[in-house]
Amino acid sequence: LKHLQVLIAILAILTYFYFNFIRNEEVLYQRKHILINGSQIQLQRTKEGVMTIWGRDKYDFAKGLGYSHAMDRGSQVLLARIVATGRVSELLDNSDKSLGIDKFFHSIGLHRDLKREIMSLNNAELRWLQDYCDGFNTYLEKQKLPSLEMALLRMTPEKYKIEDVLLLGKLISFLGLASTQFDAELNFILPSLMKDDGVKLLKAMHPKFFEGLTDEWTNIIRKVKYEPFFPQFIDIFNLGIPTIRNSNNWAIAGKLTQSGMPIYSSDPHLEINRLPSVWYEAVFKQLPQSDDQLEGDIFYAGITLPGCPALIMGRNRHVSFGFTYGFADHIDFYIEKCNANGCLSGSDYVPLQKHSSTILRKGKENVTVTYMSTARTNRQLLLDPTQNKLPSTTAYYLSWANSHNLDGAKGVATLSSAFKLMDSRNLHEFYQHARGYDISLNWIGTDDKGNIGYQQACSCPKRPKPMASLYPVPGWDKSYEWQGLLEKSELNQIHNPSSGYVCSANNKVPSSEPLPLTINLHMGDYRSSRIREMIQEASSRGKISVEDSMAMMLDVKSKQAEAFMAILRPALNSIGLALKRKLRHDVELLKNWNYEYTADSRAALIFSKFYERLNKNVFTKLYDSRKWDDLSTDFQFKLYYTYTDAILLSFPKSLAGILWHHDETQISVFAKALNETLTLDLSDDPEQTYGDVHQLSLSHIFFKNILGSLGKYIGIDVPNTPYMGTAATVNQNNYYHKKIVGEDVAVGASWRFVTDMAELKSYSRIPGGPSGSIFSRFYKNEVAEWLKGTFKVLHEPTRSKKSV
């Protein structure tokens, strides 16, 4: 009876919230008029739930977007604010794990100096941000009951402010993007430097960046003291903050297209095993400015980020635009020689700067944390923040510098550029605004004049010794100090290339002239070379259509597999003869494989297992098996596999005796890995395919920690579904372990978008729906079609004149 009463109580609560939500989800298919701070904003959903906003100008768009974000994704935004300000222990949970989260965010200090940074924005930009906040808060004030998430956390939402918009932008910039380089250097390169064989591996992987590393300096690096920077396991942190940074985008000039105008395509790769999806689609149409108009000239369509008023990617009437992560190096590590008097600078010990703050913990004693940084260069030491002084003995400590802390590289620069970019009227205006972002991005754009182009964006330091940027350098030596930031005019730009197309896929986009070094680690050319190949193939068949570009996004042919099979294929006959009869069929499948990672392919499964086995066999000679398992599933390996692939494909003699025996050849190492794959790594089911093993499930970012696997059975989560592709294919399917969250993450197309500049019409699809509420009809309404690879019409052209 007691269990029945509890069940009835739970059902009653859910029913109450359901009907309350249905009442609050007021904007459906009929146009709704909302009064926001003196403006009449009109909202209406498409049949897929995408919000169309009508207003007078971009400020009304900000108001309507703020209102829509609060209605559909409000809990996500408010919880992210709590995390970024280091208030989890105060407002949500007082566990030791939460304290670790708060220590981390107090350390990077995203929330410090927000008011001062905002002062550099102009009045138009401040109005834009305030209008967005007004829209957001208007919905919060109208909401009769909090969302289910807020109710379960017993939280009363605080008003959303301009500072919060800037904070969210900085959070995404560091945690989702700039931390890539940080983690690669701290958690892969630095541990590798602790072994002589690790140093040899790094020099073989990336010779020009490690050739200046001496034995003497390596010995000093091995004496350094530091604390791990990221908290290891964070359950409550699963709040939908987008991280990872794999994407594709391309533009095809009109001379190659059916319409005679450019086609732009974009599919940013972020977490896809989550609900709601990362992005929030929206369309804005200006209200008629005269009696003979159905709508005005201002128009926006694309994706937005809940909590921010900017159009992140998409198009207006004149320009389409989007980006991939650019992998520019914004950070450096230094070794500081310190004692109780401070850190060595030149020939003197200079006292450290100390920044103290208090972490409030509900029901527990508050904790004071102190972060120490060098006085002149503002490099932060990686130390336990509860330690407020250095020992009296001299020792070496690790510090780090972030170019986002330099003048001219603040989060406000990105907000200011976003404000301007969405109104670009041609590609030259687009270049000017896109390069103003302080995040490392590879922008591609098209315009209605027929132009296509590429623009690099980043705020990279001027390094006097750029080749010493992947390992810690002496902090007391002023010859390694940064000399400000690179000029925006020094960044890479490509305008109307003669090939008729431009693309980026987290690779180093080639330049026709020498440029300052900004990128020292990237994801290689597998995807970008495949995109170029597909464009060339499509062009050879005739003029390229929007449908052709859609099909390119779904491509699962691997240039990586092609490169490895070129080495392995000659040995397949001899390998097959040495195997039992039932395994020879697998060898034949691999021999005839077309390098496509389709769900029904057994050859793709065999190769994926071979690739894992080959890497493990080779690199566990240097790293123990457990360490390699951690590395190979964590994102720095998944992002930088192009460098380990280069070792396997080139088989340098310098690594003989380290990664393979002196008497082993490349083909014998490959053959051994395949033999072990066929005899040890495959299941007993001879019909098992790639899709049987590589599957995708989607879970709610908040409720998965409460419901666990139950969410799949009650319709909140999407159960396992076969999914195509791999880390090196255009349609990406990349699983990795995200330490900062302590969970497995699937990375793929978080948005698919294609538009032809010949008309005001775009096509798109997201893996989820507009709403974050489990009660909404728009919660996961696009998942099934996204899995099929279909596109919806995001918007269509409207007649400019009224019918007579």
Side-chain angles (χ1 to χ4, degrees):
L1 182 61
K2 182 178 180 181
H3 292 301
L4 181 60
Q5 290 172 335
V6 171
L7 181 60
I8 291 172
I10 292 173
L11 290 174
I13 292 171
L14 290 176
T15 301
Y16 180 66
F17 273 98
Y18 172 75
F19 283 108
N20 175 71
F21 174 81
I22 292 300
R23 191 163 57 246
N24 282 336
E25 192 177 46
E26 54 192 315
V27 181
L28 293 171
Y29 305 121
Q30 299 301 314
R31 198 179 296 196
K32 179 81 174 181
H33 293 251
I34 310 289
L35 182 64
I36 302 175
N37 194 19
S39 296
Q40 280 286 346
I41 310 299
Q42 300 176 26
L43 305 176
Q44 183 179 2
R45 292 191 192 271
T46 66
K47 64 180 182 179
E48 291 88 3
V50 175
M51 195 67 76
T52 301
I53 302 166
W54 279 267
R56 298 167 300 179
D57 48 34
K58 72 187 301 180
Y59 302 103
D60 280 0
F61 174 55
K63 292 176 182 178
L65 189 63
Y67 189 94
S68 303
H69 282 172
M71 177 169 59
D72 286 337
R73 303 289 188 89
S75 298
Q76 173 185 334
V77 174
L78 297 171
L79 289 170
R81 176 177 65 179
I82 290 171
V83 173
T85 50
R87 298 179 67 193
V88 176
S89 301
E90 174 192 354
L91 298 175
L92 302 182
D93 174 72
N94 62 6
S95 68
D96 290 342
K97 287 182 180 179
S98 296
L99 179 61
I101 301 171
D102 289 337
K103 285 181 179 179
F104 170 73
F105 282 101
H106 277 254
S107 172
I108 60 176
L110 299 177
H111 59 292
R112 291 196 290 263
D113 297 326
L114 289 173
K115 291 185 182 296
R116 181 177 61 83
E117 292 178 30
I118 285 172
M119 291 175 65
S120 63
L121 293 167
N122 63 37
N123 289 336
E125 293 160 351
L126 287 170
R127 177 188 169 190
W128 177 59
L129 295 173
Q130 187 59 58
D131 283 343
Y132 175 82
C133 295
D134 288 345
F136 197 100
N137 293 325
T138 296
Y139 181 80
L140 291 184
E141 291 164 3
K142 288 182 62 175
Q143 197 176 20
K144 293 184 174 63
L145 279 178
S147 67
L148 183 55
E149 295 94 322
M150 294 290 104
L152 289 173
L153 293 170
R154 292 178 290 181
M155 278 185 54
T156 300
E158 299 174 1
K159 280 194 170 186
Y160 201 66
K161 305 184 296 296
I162 292 177
E163 292 93 325
D164 300 325
V165 181
L166 177 57
L167 176 65
L168 180 66
K170 294 174 71 173
L171 177 65
I172 302 303
S173 174
F174 176 77
L175 195 59
L177 298 169
S179 65
T180 308
Q181 190 86 18
F182 185 103
D183 202 43
E185 294 188 26
L186 185 65
N187 295 322
F188 179 69
I189 292 175
L190 189 58
S192 297
L193 291 172
M194 298 303 166
K195 296 181 179 181
D196 290 342
D197 288 346
V199 173
K200 291 178 182 178
L201 174 64
L202 292 173
K203 288 186 175 183
M205 278 183 174
H206 226 350
K208 67 180 181 180
F209 286 97
F210 289 96
E211 61 187 5
L213 181 65
T214 65
D215 292 342
E216 180 184 6
W217 184 244
T218 301
N219 288 332
I220 292 178
I221 290 175
R222 292 171 182 173
K223 297 176 183 178
V224 72
K225 297 180 180 181
Y226 67 97
E227 291 287 328
F229 194 65
F230 290 128
Q232 293 297 303
F233 298 103
I234 304 177
D235 295 331
I236 202 167
F237 187 64
N238 300 325
L239 300 175
I241 298 167
T243 59
I244 214 58
R245 54 295 293 168
N246 316 338
S247 305
N248 309 310
N249 62 353
W250 61 88
I252 304 172
K255 67 180 183 180
L256 302 180
T257 69
Q258 289 182 2
S259 70
M261 291 295 286
I263 294 175
Y264 173 75
S265 304
S266 181
D267 62 326
H269 296 169
L270 291 96
E271 290 98 330
I272 54 174
N273 60 334
R274 50 162 281 171
L275 291 168
S277 55
V278 171
W279 307 110
Y280 185 88
E281 290 186 302
V283 176
F284 176 76
K285 296 182 178 182
Q286 187 183 29
L287 290 168
Q289 302 299 293
S290 62
D291 291 339
D292 62 347
Q293 284 187 320
L294 286 178
E295 63 183 61
D297 292 332
I298 302 175
F299 172 86
Y300 312 117
I303 49 172
T304 65
L305 184 67
C308 177
L311 183 69
I312 305 297
M313 302 184 212
R315 66 167 296 171
N316 58 31
R317 287 191 183 275
H318 308 288
V319 175
S320 61
F321 52 86
F323 58 79
T324 67
Y325 182 55
F327 280 86
D329 186 359
H330 290 180
I331 68 104
D332 275 335
F333 286 96
Y334 292 80
I335 292 178
E336 311 290 352
K337 190 173 184 179
C338 305
N339 58 29
N341 297 318
C343 286
L344 185 64
S345 178
S347 57
D348 301 317
Y349 282 89
V350 179
L352 290 163
Q353 294 183 123
K354 295 183 180 181
H355 313 272
S356 295
S357 58
T358 300
I359 298 172
L360 305 179
R361 305 181 75 191
K362 61 178 182 180
K364 288 188 178 180
E365 186 176 348
N366 298 336
V367 174
T368 299
V369 290
T370 302
Y371 304 95
M372 292 179 273
S373 59
T374 57
R376 191 167 54 83
T377 54
N378 197 30
R379 297 191 293 262
Q380 183 174 321
L381 275 64
L382 295 185
L383 296 172
D384 181 351
T386 58
Q387 173 185 331
N388 60 10
K389 63 180 180 179
L390 293 174
S392 57
T393 55
T394 301
Y396 295 107
Y397 295 91
L398 193 67
S399 70
W400 71 292
N402 178 6
S403 69
H404 289 185
N405 292 332
L406 298 177
D407 289 339
K410 302 290 187 181
V412 291
T414 292
L415 276 178
S416 179
S417 296
F419 173 77
K420 299 166 187 169
L421 185 144
M422 57 196 291
D423 290 323
S424 299
R425 299 184 66 85
N426 56 62
L427 219 53
H428 291 291
E429 288 185 9
F430 159 75
Y431 294 147
Q432 182 68 27
H433 304 321
R435 69 186 187 183
Y437 279 64
D438 60 5
I439 308 169
S440 176
L441 302 172
N442 286 326
W443 285 98
I444 286 178
T446 65
D447 69 18
D448 59 359
K449 312 293 189 300
N451 299 303
I452 67 170
Y454 161 85
Q455 176 64 57
Q456 182 186 24
C458 67
S459 291
C460 277
K462 289 183 180 178
R463 295 180 173 93
K465 300 180 181 180
M467 293 304 155
S469 55
L470 285 177
Y471 56 85
V473 295
W476 55 87
D477 186 340
K478 295 182 181 180
S479 68
Y480 288 95
E481 288 183 7
W482 293 347
Q483 299 169 354
L485 294 170
L486 293 175
E487 299 296 329
K488 297 296 185 180
S489 59
E490 297 179 271
L491 301 178
N492 193 6
Q493 184 184 109
I494 301 171
H495 185 67
N496 288 335
S498 58
S499 64
Y501 59 85
V502 61
C503 72
S504 74
N506 311 115
N507 57 310
K508 187 174 181 179
V509 178
S511 171
S512 58
E513 55 188 65
L515 294 170
L517 179 70
T518 57
I519 301 169
N520 47 35
L521 293 173
H522 56 86
M523 290 192 69
D525 293 320
Y526 291 133
R527 284 181 286 120
S528 60
S529 64
R530 178 58 184 154
I531 293 168
R532 293 193 297 270
E533 182 178 74
M534 287 191 291
I535 294 173
Q536 292 164 5
E537 289 173 351
S539 179
S540 69
R541 295 191 298 266
K543 297 294 186 178
I544 298 173
S545 66
V546 163
E547 290 74 21
D548 290 330
S549 208
M550 291 176 179
M552 292 176 196
M553 283 190 184
L554 304 174
D555 181 75
V556 290
K557 187 173 183 178
S558 171
K559 300 298 287 185
Q560 179 193 50
E562 186 177 347
F564 277 85
M565 286 299 297
I567 296 169
L568 182 62
R569 180 171 276 108
L572 289 180
N573 286 333
S574 58
I575 292 172
L577 291 173
L579 293 169
K580 294 179 180 179
R581 184 179 298 275
K582 69 176 183 178
L583 296 179
R584 293 177 190 172
H585 178 64
D586 285 339
V587 174
E588 287 299 313
L589 289 176
L590 196 58
K591 188 187 301 184
N592 297 313
W593 184 38
N594 60 3
Y595 317 125
E596 293 184 2
Y597 281 83
T598 56
D600 61 354
S601 172
R602 179 163 176 81
L605 173 64
I606 297 167
F607 180 83
S608 67
K609 294 289 186 181
F610 157 74
Y611 181 73
E612 291 173 11
R613 170 65 68 171
L614 177 64
N615 275 277
K616 187 169 185 176
N617 284 357
V618 169
F619 291 106
T620 50
K621 300 283 197 311
L622 178 59
Y623 304 95
D624 62 67
S625 181
R626 184 175 178 180
K627 175 66 175 174
W628 179 251
D629 285 343
D630 287 342
L631 280 176
S632 63
T633 56
D634 198 45
F635 83 88
Q636 62 260 42
F637 177 81
K638 291 287 191 176
L639 286 179
Y640 302 118
Y641 57 78
T642 187
Y643 297 98
T644 49
D645 279 6
I647 296 296
L648 297 170
L649 293 170
S650 64
F651 218 69
K653 292 180 180 180
S654 61
L655 296 178
I658 298 174
L659 297 183
W660 45 80
H661 298 299
H662 286 283
D663 59 349
E664 287 186 298
T665 64
Q666 183 183 43
I667 192 61
S668 70
V669 171
F670 276 49
K672 178 185 176 183
L674 181 59
N675 268 299
E676 292 176 351
T677 298
L678 295 170
T679 56
L680 300 175
D681 298 336
L682 296 173
S683 74
D684 293 332
D685 180 6
E687 303 299 321
Q688 189 180 53
T689 65
Y690 188 75
D692 293 330
V693 175
H694 293 265
Q695 299 197 338
L696 177 68
S697 61
L698 289 76
S699 302
H700 193 280
I701 55 177
F702 179 82
F703 289 108
K704 65 181 175 184
N705 293 319
I706 298 173
L707 298 173
S709 60
L710 181 61
K712 296 177 183 178
Y713 297 103
I714 61 177
I716 293 176
D717 298 340
V718 177
N720 286 340
T721 304
Y723 192 60
M724 304 184 298
T726 185
T729 55
V730 174
N731 185 64
Q732 194 170 79
N733 178 11
N734 188 7
Y735 277 85
Y736 75 104
H737 186 74
K738 188 161 62 171
K739 284 184 179 179
I740 195 165
V741 181
E743 66 171 17
D744 291 329
V745 172
V747 175
S750 62
W751 184 54
R752 296 188 181 116
F753 176 79
V754 180
T755 191
D756 188 328
M757 296 308 292
E759 62 177 340
L760 198 64
K761 186 176 184 179
S762 299
Y763 307 84
S764 72
R765 187 66 75 186
I766 61 172
S771 178
S773 171
I774 59 176
F775 301 124
S776 173
R777 72 191 71 184
F778 305 120
Y779 166 57
K780 55 178 181 178
N781 57 305
E782 290 197 49
V783 172
E785 293 302 317
W786 177 84
L787 287 167
K788 294 176 185 176
T790 68
F791 287 73
K792 68 177 182 293
V793 176
L794 179 60
H795 64 88
E796 293 191 83
T798 304
R799 293 169 298 167
S800 60
K801 303 283 185 181
K802 289 186 176 180
S803 299
V804 178

